[in-house]
């Protein structure tokens, strides 16, 4: 009986020690803000999965910072792609003790939410592309993707030099992203010698573009640049065909997605071209391995920014190890001063938090899927 008591005491002591060791682990919450409901939910979930995969791998591998093991936890919130909801999500994450965030996805959400994140001393990595995001002057806010300046202007350069387009029109959805992208395209289009025959406006909820497209048909435009998202881009491609409008549909990264092919059907093919930040995953050193891991874990192909969100989480982990702390001020400084080689590219930032170098790839569509043409 005495031996049983001793054995029990030893076992209990072992459990207490194990619990004590677990209690010593440093828990780091990684917040995710993105559209997990509504028309853009496919992008929000894809981004979330990129972050989730990185966190699962880091926890499996084991990361030590300041002599303590770090356990990463994903805290994902639905900002609905809506500015007001996005600000509420930012405050919720701040109140929950989150110090590191990936997202928001939408520029219209990221721009107003940035103030909340900054006031709470959080580090943010966003793919939102409107130049205004990093022009606000907030520290520890990093854009892990090309800006509209690069996405819009490179698409215009490609249209002028390679497609030989002379007469073009622009449509934007009046979101911060859509407007910014359209203006950058328009600026470069004119600088490249193209005539901008018209600039029309719609919303990110519209599905009928017939009146707009009918006006543009009368102007005999050879291409239409759309500053907006796939849920509008797909129906727009269908209506361009239905109206017999012989014009290519051009856009930015948000129509460089399989969702565009699903929504546009056979109206989305070589006639649709889009620009996306980052190198080609298939040609990137660790791109094919990432795609295989993602497919195995989620039974889906990674979409536009899954790799960028995966990279952002790993960027945080590397900076924590370099700074030997999880203090966001010091980690942010390490990110600003250093560089990280990720799946989607090499991350090094200028004083505003923009990537010093971000290649842009031009895509078209084959079989409903984005198909890369060239990096530009």
């Amino acid at each position: 009986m005495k031996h049983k008591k001793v054995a029990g005491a030893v076992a209990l002591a072992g459990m207490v020690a194990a619990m004590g060791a677990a209690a010593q682990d440093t828990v780091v919450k990684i917040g995710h803000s993105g559209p997990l409901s509504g028309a853009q939910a496919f992008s929000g979930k894809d981004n979330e999965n990129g972050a989730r995969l990185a966190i699962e791998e880091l926890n499996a591998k084991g990361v030590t910072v300041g002599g303590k093991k770090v356990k990463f936890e994903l805290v994902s919130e639905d900002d609905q792609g809506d500015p007001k909801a996005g600000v509420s999500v930012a405050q919720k994450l701040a109140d929950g003790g989150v110090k590191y965030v990936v997202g928001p996805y939408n520029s219209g959400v990221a721009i107003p939410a940035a103030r909340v994140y900054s006031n709470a001393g959080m580090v943010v990595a966003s793919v939102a592309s409107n130049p205004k995001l990093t022009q606000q002057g907030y520290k520890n806010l990093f854009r892990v993707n090309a800006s509209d300046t690069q996405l819009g202007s490179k698409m215009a350069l490609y249209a002028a030099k390679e497609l030989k387009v002379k007469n073009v029109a622009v449509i934007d959805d009046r979101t911060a992203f859509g407007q910014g992208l359209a203006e950058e395209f328009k600026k470069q289009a004119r600088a490249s010698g193209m005539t901008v025959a018209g600039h029309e406006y719609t919303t990110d909820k519209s599905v009928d573009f017939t009146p707009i497209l009918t006006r543009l048909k009368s102007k005999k435009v050879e291409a239409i640049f759309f500053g907006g998202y796939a849920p509008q881009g797909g129906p727009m491609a269908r209506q361009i065909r239905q109206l017999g409008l012989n014009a290519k549909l051009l856009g930015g990264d948000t129509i460089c997605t399989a969702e565009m092919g699903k929504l546009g059907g056979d109206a989305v093919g070589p006639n649709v071209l889009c620009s996306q930040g980052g190198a080609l995953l298939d040609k990137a050193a660790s791109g094919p391995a990432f795609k295989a891991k993602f497919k195995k874990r989620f039974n889906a192909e990674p979409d536009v920014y899954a790799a960028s969100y995966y990279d952002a989480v790993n960027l945080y982990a590397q900076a924590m190890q370099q700074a030997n702390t999880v203090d966001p001020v010091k980690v942010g400084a390490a990110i600003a001063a250093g560089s990280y080689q990720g799946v989607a590219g090499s991350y090094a930032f200028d004083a505003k938090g923009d990537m010093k170098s971000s290649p842009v790839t031009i895509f078209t569509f084959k079989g409903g899927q984005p198909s890369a043409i060239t990096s530009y």
Side-chain angles (χ1 to χ4, degrees):
M1 191 73 178
K2 188 176 181 181
H3 290 301
K4 287 184 179 178
K5 285 183 178 178
V6 171
V10 170
L12 182 61
M15 288 173 62
V16 170
M19 289 172 67
Q24 294 302 311
D25 288 356
T26 301
V27 175
V28 174
K29 296 177 180 179
I30 305 290
H32 167 256
S33 171
L36 299 175
S37 61
Q40 295 175 34
F42 66 95
S43 291
K45 196 64 185 174
D46 180 65
N47 299 338
E48 180 192 79
N49 284 342
R52 188 183 304 280
L53 181 60
I55 286 171
E56 290 175 355
E57 288 182 356
L58 288 168
N59 286 337
K61 181 173 64 177
V63 174
T64 302
V65 176
K68 291 184 179 180
K69 188 177 178 182
V70 176
K71 182 188 177 188
F72 294 95
E73 292 182 357
L74 182 65
V75 182
S76 187
E77 297 289 345
D78 180 14
D79 63 30
Q80 304 164 43
D82 176 76
K84 187 176 179 182
V87 170
S88 295
V89 162
Q91 193 61 58
K92 182 177 180 180
L93 291 173
D95 293 344
V98 173
K99 291 298 180 184
Y100 297 92
V101 175
V102 288
Y105 168 68
N106 304 83
S107 293
V109 176
I111 291 169
R115 179 179 56 82
V116 178
Y117 290 125
S118 178
N119 289 344
M122 299 158 84
V123 184
V124 177
S126 175
V127 298
S129 57
N130 191 302
K132 291 177 183 175
L133 176 63
T134 53
Q135 290 169 0
Q136 297 177 99
Y138 296 124
K139 286 191 72 174
N140 294 339
L141 189 158
F142 303 96
R143 193 199 313 274
V144 289
N145 172 51
S147 70
D148 289 342
T149 305
Q150 295 161 310
L151 293 171
S153 63
K154 292 290 178 70
M155 190 71 255
L157 284 169
Y158 187 85
K161 293 183 179 180
E162 309 300 331
L163 302 179
K164 309 297 182 187
V165 170
K166 300 292 185 187
N167 193 31
V168 68
V170 174
I171 301 173
D172 83 60
D173 67 359
R174 296 284 83 186
T175 64
F177 163 73
Q179 290 181 58
L181 188 66
E183 288 300 330
E184 293 298 338
F185 174 88
K186 195 162 67 169
K187 191 189 306 179
Q188 184 59 56
R190 286 173 172 154
S192 298
M194 285 189 275
T195 298
V196 179
H199 188 153
E200 298 281 348
Y201 307 99
T202 183
T203 75
D204 60 347
K205 306 291 188 297
S206 300
V207 291
D208 181 13
F209 310 99
T210 305
I212 288 173
L213 295 174
T214 300
R215 286 195 292 273
L216 296 182
K217 184 179 181 181
S218 69
K219 296 181 179 181
K220 296 182 169 55
V221 295
E222 301 162 82
I224 297 168
F225 182 86
F226 174 53
Y229 297 85
Q232 284 64 53
M236 189 178 292
R238 286 183 181 276
Q239 290 161 36
I240 286 172
R241 171 178 283 190
Q242 289 164 1
L243 288 169
L245 178 51
N246 187 26
K248 293 186 182 298
L249 180 60
L250 315 177
D253 52 344
T254 47
I255 71 166
C256 272
T257 170
E259 193 73 8
M260 185 75 181
K262 286 180 190 174
L263 296 171
D266 60 5
V268 173
N271 57 307
V272 178
L273 297 100
C274 52
S275 56
Q276 181 182 318
L280 291 173
L281 279 186
D282 288 334
K283 293 185 178 179
S286 51
F290 168 77
K291 289 178 71 174
K293 289 188 296 186
F294 191 95
K295 181 72 181 288
K296 183 179 179 182
R297 172 64 179 85
F298 302 110
N299 196 31
E301 295 290 340
D303 209 342
V304 181
Y305 286 122
S308 299
Y309 279 68
Y310 175 88
D311 285 347
V313 172
N314 282 299
L315 168 68
Y316 288 157
Q318 176 186 277
M320 287 171 196
Q321 290 176 302
Q322 288 174 340
N324 204 31
T325 178
V326 297
D327 177 352
V329 174
K330 293 177 181 176
V331 173
I335 293 171
S339 64
Y340 171 70
Q341 182 59 50
V343 173
S346 181
Y347 299 85
F349 302 94
D350 63 20
K352 289 191 297 183
D354 286 318
M355 288 176 67
K356 289 180 180 177
S357 176
S358 179
V360 171
T361 301
I362 306 297
F363 287 78
T364 186
F365 284 80
K366 292 181 181 177
Q369 296 290 325
S371 177
I373 301 172
T374 183
S375 288
Y376 219 70

PDB file of all heavy atoms in Angstrom, residues 20-28 62-72 317 320-321 324-326:
ATOM      1  N   GLY A  20       3.172  22.479 -15.166  1.00  0.00           N
ATOM      2  CA  GLY A  20       3.962  23.684 -14.911  1.00  0.00           C
ATOM      3  C   GLY A  20       4.760  24.077 -16.127  1.00  0.00           C
ATOM      4  O   GLY A  20       4.850  25.256 -16.476  1.00  0.00           O
ATOM      5  N   ALA A  21       5.328  23.060 -16.816  1.00  0.00           N
ATOM      6  CA  ALA A  21       6.115  23.339 -18.028  1.00  0.00           C
ATOM      7  C   ALA A  21       5.230  23.930 -19.105  1.00  0.00           C
ATOM      8  O   ALA A  21       5.596  24.878 -19.799  1.00  0.00           O
ATOM      9  CB  ALA A  21       6.769  22.051 -18.516  1.00  0.00           C
ATOM     10  N   ALA A  22       4.003  23.339 -19.240  1.00  0.00           N
ATOM     11  CA  ALA A  22       3.063  23.850 -20.250  1.00  0.00           C
ATOM     12  C   ALA A  22       2.669  25.284 -19.935  1.00  0.00           C
ATOM     13  O   ALA A  22       2.505  26.117 -20.820  1.00  0.00           O
ATOM     14  CB  ALA A  22       1.831  22.953 -20.306  1.00  0.00           C
ATOM     15  N   ALA A  23       2.535  25.557 -18.616  1.00  0.00           N
ATOM     16  CA  ALA A  23       2.144  26.909 -18.205  1.00  0.00           C
ATOM     17  C   ALA A  23       3.235  27.920 -18.535  1.00  0.00           C
ATOM     18  O   ALA A  23       2.966  29.109 -18.667  1.00  0.00           O
ATOM     19  CB  ALA A  23       1.847  26.931 -16.713  1.00  0.00           C
ATOM     20  N   GLN A  24       4.481  27.410 -18.655  1.00  0.00           N
ATOM     21  CA  GLN A  24       5.597  28.305 -18.957  1.00  0.00           C
ATOM     22  C   GLN A  24       5.660  28.668 -20.439  1.00  0.00           C
ATOM     23  O   GLN A  24       6.398  29.562 -20.832  1.00  0.00           O
ATOM     24  CB  GLN A  24       6.922  27.639 -18.532  1.00  0.00           C
ATOM     25  CG  GLN A  24       7.066  27.432 -17.026  1.00  0.00           C
ATOM     26  CD  GLN A  24       6.954  28.730 -16.252  1.00  0.00           C
ATOM     27  OE1 GLN A  24       7.610  29.716 -16.582  1.00  0.00           O
ATOM     28  NE2 GLN A  24       6.105  28.758 -15.235  1.00  0.00           N
ATOM     29  N   ASP A  25       4.932  27.906 -21.281  1.00  0.00           N
ATOM     30  CA  ASP A  25       4.922  28.215 -22.712  1.00  0.00           C
ATOM     31  C   ASP A  25       4.387  29.625 -22.924  1.00  0.00           C
ATOM     32  O   ASP A  25       3.451  30.061 -22.254  1.00  0.00           O
ATOM     33  CB  ASP A  25       4.030  27.237 -23.481  1.00  0.00           C
ATOM     34  CG  ASP A  25       4.634  25.847 -23.596  1.00  0.00           C
ATOM     35  OD1 ASP A  25       5.771  25.680 -23.140  1.00  0.00           O
ATOM     36  OD2 ASP A  25       3.957  24.954 -24.138  1.00  0.00           O
ATOM     37  N   THR A  26       4.986  30.321 -23.871  1.00  0.00           N
ATOM     38  CA  THR A  26       4.497  31.646 -24.243  1.00  0.00           C
ATOM     39  C   THR A  26       3.441  31.491 -25.324  1.00  0.00           C
ATOM     40  O   THR A  26       3.710  30.920 -26.376  1.00  0.00           O
ATOM     41  CB  THR A  26       5.649  32.524 -24.777  1.00  0.00           C
ATOM     42  OG1 THR A  26       6.651  32.637 -23.774  1.00  0.00           O
ATOM     43  CG2 THR A  26       5.152  33.908 -25.163  1.00  0.00           C
ATOM     44  N   VAL A  27       2.226  31.959 -25.050  1.00  0.00           N
ATOM     45  CA  VAL A  27       1.147  31.884 -26.043  1.00  0.00           C
ATOM     46  C   VAL A  27       1.126  33.180 -26.854  1.00  0.00           C
ATOM     47  O   VAL A  27       1.041  34.269 -26.295  1.00  0.00           O
ATOM     48  CB  VAL A  27      -0.222  31.657 -25.372  1.00  0.00           C
ATOM     49  CG1 VAL A  27      -1.343  31.707 -26.402  1.00  0.00           C
ATOM     50  CG2 VAL A  27      -0.232  30.326 -24.630  1.00  0.00           C
ATOM     51  N   VAL A  28       1.229  33.053 -28.161  1.00  0.00           N
ATOM     52  CA  VAL A  28       1.158  34.205 -29.061  1.00  0.00           C
ATOM     53  C   VAL A  28      -0.064  34.038 -29.962  1.00  0.00           C
ATOM     54  O   VAL A  28      -0.148  33.079 -30.732  1.00  0.00           O
ATOM     55  CB  VAL A  28       2.428  34.337 -29.933  1.00  0.00           C
ATOM     56  CG1 VAL A  28       2.264  35.457 -30.960  1.00  0.00           C
ATOM     57  CG2 VAL A  28       3.645  34.609 -29.058  1.00  0.00           C
ATOM     58  N   GLY A  62       8.027  23.436 -33.228  1.00  0.00           N
ATOM     59  CA  GLY A  62       8.492  23.969 -31.945  1.00  0.00           C
ATOM     60  C   GLY A  62       9.371  25.182 -32.147  1.00  0.00           C
ATOM     61  O   GLY A  62      10.416  25.101 -32.778  1.00  0.00           O
ATOM     62  N   VAL A  63       8.924  26.299 -31.651  1.00  0.00           N
ATOM     63  CA  VAL A  63       9.675  27.562 -31.766  1.00  0.00           C
ATOM     64  C   VAL A  63       9.984  28.058 -30.358  1.00  0.00           C
ATOM     65  O   VAL A  63       9.095  28.129 -29.508  1.00  0.00           O
ATOM     66  CB  VAL A  63       8.857  28.627 -32.536  1.00  0.00           C
ATOM     67  CG1 VAL A  63       9.578  29.969 -32.529  1.00  0.00           C
ATOM     68  CG2 VAL A  63       8.594  28.171 -33.970  1.00  0.00           C
ATOM     69  N   THR A  64      11.235  28.391 -30.117  1.00  0.00           N
ATOM     70  CA  THR A  64      11.653  28.897 -28.807  1.00  0.00           C
ATOM     71  C   THR A  64      12.085  30.355 -28.932  1.00  0.00           C
ATOM     72  O   THR A  64      12.881  30.700 -29.807  1.00  0.00           O
ATOM     73  CB  THR A  64      12.818  28.065 -28.234  1.00  0.00           C
ATOM     74  OG1 THR A  64      12.400  26.700 -28.133  1.00  0.00           O
ATOM     75  CG2 THR A  64      13.225  28.564 -26.857  1.00  0.00           C
ATOM     76  N   VAL A  65      11.542  31.192 -28.068  1.00  0.00           N
ATOM     77  CA  VAL A  65      11.885  32.618 -28.041  1.00  0.00           C
ATOM     78  C   VAL A  65      12.168  33.013 -26.598  1.00  0.00           C
ATOM     79  O   VAL A  65      11.342  32.772 -25.709  1.00  0.00           O
ATOM     80  CB  VAL A  65      10.732  33.483 -28.616  1.00  0.00           C
ATOM     81  CG1 VAL A  65      11.065  34.971 -28.478  1.00  0.00           C
ATOM     82  CG2 VAL A  65      10.473  33.142 -30.078  1.00  0.00           C
ATOM     83  N   GLY A  66      13.317  33.599 -26.361  1.00  0.00           N
ATOM     84  CA  GLY A  66      13.663  34.014 -25.000  1.00  0.00           C
ATOM     85  C   GLY A  66      13.718  32.860 -24.030  1.00  0.00           C
ATOM     86  O   GLY A  66      13.379  33.017 -22.849  1.00  0.00           O
ATOM     87  N   GLY A  67      14.118  31.686 -24.508  1.00  0.00           N
ATOM     88  CA  GLY A  67      14.237  30.521 -23.637  1.00  0.00           C
ATOM     89  C   GLY A  67      12.935  29.804 -23.358  1.00  0.00           C
ATOM     90  O   GLY A  67      12.905  28.816 -22.619  1.00  0.00           O
ATOM     91  N   LYS A  68      11.839  30.267 -23.910  1.00  0.00           N
ATOM     92  CA  LYS A  68      10.534  29.628 -23.689  1.00  0.00           C
ATOM     93  C   LYS A  68       9.945  29.153 -25.015  1.00  0.00           C
ATOM     94  O   LYS A  68      10.099  29.803 -26.046  1.00  0.00           O
ATOM     95  CB  LYS A  68       9.563  30.614 -23.032  1.00  0.00           C
ATOM     96  CG  LYS A  68       9.913  30.984 -21.598  1.00  0.00           C
ATOM     97  CD  LYS A  68       8.833  31.888 -21.022  1.00  0.00           C
ATOM     98  CE  LYS A  68       9.142  32.266 -19.573  1.00  0.00           C
ATOM     99  NZ  LYS A  68       8.103  33.151 -19.005  1.00  0.00           N
ATOM    100  N   LYS A  69       9.251  28.032 -24.953  1.00  0.00           N
ATOM    101  CA  LYS A  69       8.574  27.526 -26.135  1.00  0.00           C
ATOM    102  C   LYS A  69       7.354  28.394 -26.433  1.00  0.00           C
ATOM    103  O   LYS A  69       6.620  28.772 -25.523  1.00  0.00           O
ATOM    104  CB  LYS A  69       8.140  26.075 -25.914  1.00  0.00           C
ATOM    105  CG  LYS A  69       7.584  25.408 -27.168  1.00  0.00           C
ATOM    106  CD  LYS A  69       7.235  23.956 -26.900  1.00  0.00           C
ATOM    107  CE  LYS A  69       6.627  23.311 -28.148  1.00  0.00           C
ATOM    108  NZ  LYS A  69       6.227  21.917 -27.899  1.00  0.00           N
ATOM    109  N   VAL A  70       7.183  28.713 -27.694  1.00  0.00           N
ATOM    110  CA  VAL A  70       6.047  29.545 -28.107  1.00  0.00           C
ATOM    111  C   VAL A  70       4.951  28.672 -28.698  1.00  0.00           C
ATOM    112  O   VAL A  70       5.211  27.804 -29.540  1.00  0.00           O
ATOM    113  CB  VAL A  70       6.484  30.596 -29.147  1.00  0.00           C
ATOM    114  CG1 VAL A  70       5.273  31.382 -29.650  1.00  0.00           C
ATOM    115  CG2 VAL A  70       7.510  31.552 -28.552  1.00  0.00           C
ATOM    116  N   LYS A  71       3.735  28.890 -28.237  1.00  0.00           N
ATOM    117  CA  LYS A  71       2.570  28.235 -28.822  1.00  0.00           C
ATOM    118  C   LYS A  71       1.738  29.294 -29.539  1.00  0.00           C
ATOM    119  O   LYS A  71       1.295  30.263 -28.925  1.00  0.00           O
ATOM    120  CB  LYS A  71       1.725  27.553 -27.744  1.00  0.00           C
ATOM    121  CG  LYS A  71       0.513  26.815 -28.334  1.00  0.00           C
ATOM    122  CD  LYS A  71      -0.420  26.302 -27.255  1.00  0.00           C
ATOM    123  CE  LYS A  71      -1.648  25.636 -27.876  1.00  0.00           C
ATOM    124  NZ  LYS A  71      -2.666  25.292 -26.856  1.00  0.00           N
ATOM    125  N   PHE A  72       1.589  29.123 -30.844  1.00  0.00           N
ATOM    126  CA  PHE A  72       0.819  30.079 -31.640  1.00  0.00           C
ATOM    127  C   PHE A  72      -0.649  29.658 -31.699  1.00  0.00           C
ATOM    128  O   PHE A  72      -0.949  28.476 -31.838  1.00  0.00           O
ATOM    129  CB  PHE A  72       1.382  30.167 -33.060  1.00  0.00           C
ATOM    130  CG  PHE A  72       2.763  30.753 -33.135  1.00  0.00           C
ATOM    131  CD1 PHE A  72       3.886  29.935 -33.154  1.00  0.00           C
ATOM    132  CD2 PHE A  72       2.954  32.128 -33.169  1.00  0.00           C
ATOM    133  CE1 PHE A  72       5.160  30.463 -33.217  1.00  0.00           C
ATOM    134  CE2 PHE A  72       4.218  32.675 -33.232  1.00  0.00           C
ATOM    135  CZ  PHE A  72       5.336  31.840 -33.253  1.00  0.00           C
ATOM    136  N   ALA A 317       7.280  34.861 -36.923  1.00  0.00           N
ATOM    137  CA  ALA A 317       8.028  33.893 -36.111  1.00  0.00           C
ATOM    138  C   ALA A 317       9.535  34.121 -36.229  1.00  0.00           C
ATOM    139  O   ALA A 317      10.261  34.089 -35.225  1.00  0.00           O
ATOM    140  CB  ALA A 317       7.672  32.473 -36.536  1.00  0.00           C
ATOM    141  N   MET A 320      10.520  37.250 -34.273  1.00  0.00           N
ATOM    142  CA  MET A 320      10.506  37.003 -32.822  1.00  0.00           C
ATOM    143  C   MET A 320      11.804  36.316 -32.387  1.00  0.00           C
ATOM    144  O   MET A 320      12.388  36.658 -31.351  1.00  0.00           O
ATOM    145  CB  MET A 320       9.301  36.121 -32.451  1.00  0.00           C
ATOM    146  CG  MET A 320       7.975  36.828 -32.512  1.00  0.00           C
ATOM    147  SD  MET A 320       6.582  35.663 -32.312  1.00  0.00           S
ATOM    148  CE  MET A 320       5.223  36.674 -32.893  1.00  0.00           C
ATOM    149  N   GLN A 321      12.243  35.363 -33.195  1.00  0.00           N
ATOM    150  CA  GLN A 321      13.480  34.662 -32.864  1.00  0.00           C
ATOM    151  C   GLN A 321      14.696  35.586 -32.994  1.00  0.00           C
ATOM    152  O   GLN A 321      15.612  35.536 -32.177  1.00  0.00           O
ATOM    153  CB  GLN A 321      13.636  33.435 -33.762  1.00  0.00           C
ATOM    154  CG  GLN A 321      12.627  32.337 -33.440  1.00  0.00           C
ATOM    155  CD  GLN A 321      12.722  31.161 -34.378  1.00  0.00           C
ATOM    156  OE1 GLN A 321      12.595  31.288 -35.594  1.00  0.00           O
ATOM    157  NE2 GLN A 321      12.952  29.974 -33.825  1.00  0.00           N
ATOM    158  N   ASN A 324      14.552  37.910 -30.143  1.00  0.00           N
ATOM    159  CA  ASN A 324      14.576  37.129 -28.900  1.00  0.00           C
ATOM    160  C   ASN A 324      13.499  37.594 -27.913  1.00  0.00           C
ATOM    161  O   ASN A 324      13.709  37.614 -26.703  1.00  0.00           O
ATOM    162  CB  ASN A 324      15.963  37.183 -28.240  1.00  0.00           C
ATOM    163  CG  ASN A 324      16.202  35.982 -27.337  1.00  0.00           C
ATOM    164  OD1 ASN A 324      15.694  34.892 -27.593  1.00  0.00           O
ATOM    165  ND2 ASN A 324      16.964  36.169 -26.266  1.00  0.00           N
ATOM    166  N   THR A 325      12.359  37.984 -28.455  1.00  0.00           N
ATOM    167  CA  THR A 325      11.239  38.447 -27.637  1.00  0.00           C
ATOM    168  C   THR A 325       9.963  38.396 -28.471  1.00  0.00           C
ATOM    169  O   THR A 325      10.028  38.365 -29.713  1.00  0.00           O
ATOM    170  CB  THR A 325      11.464  39.887 -27.152  1.00  0.00           C
ATOM    171  OG1 THR A 325      10.326  40.319 -26.384  1.00  0.00           O
ATOM    172  CG2 THR A 325      11.635  40.859 -28.315  1.00  0.00           C
ATOM    173  N   VAL A 326       8.807  38.389 -27.787  1.00  0.00           N
ATOM    174  CA  VAL A 326       7.528  38.485 -28.501  1.00  0.00           C
ATOM    175  C   VAL A 326       6.929  39.882 -28.322  1.00  0.00           C
ATOM    176  O   VAL A 326       5.775  40.118 -28.684  1.00  0.00           O
ATOM    177  CB  VAL A 326       6.530  37.399 -28.031  1.00  0.00           C
ATOM    178  CG1 VAL A 326       7.056  36.016 -28.348  1.00  0.00           C
ATOM    179  CG2 VAL A 326       6.196  37.535 -26.549  1.00  0.00           C
TER     180      VAL A 326
END
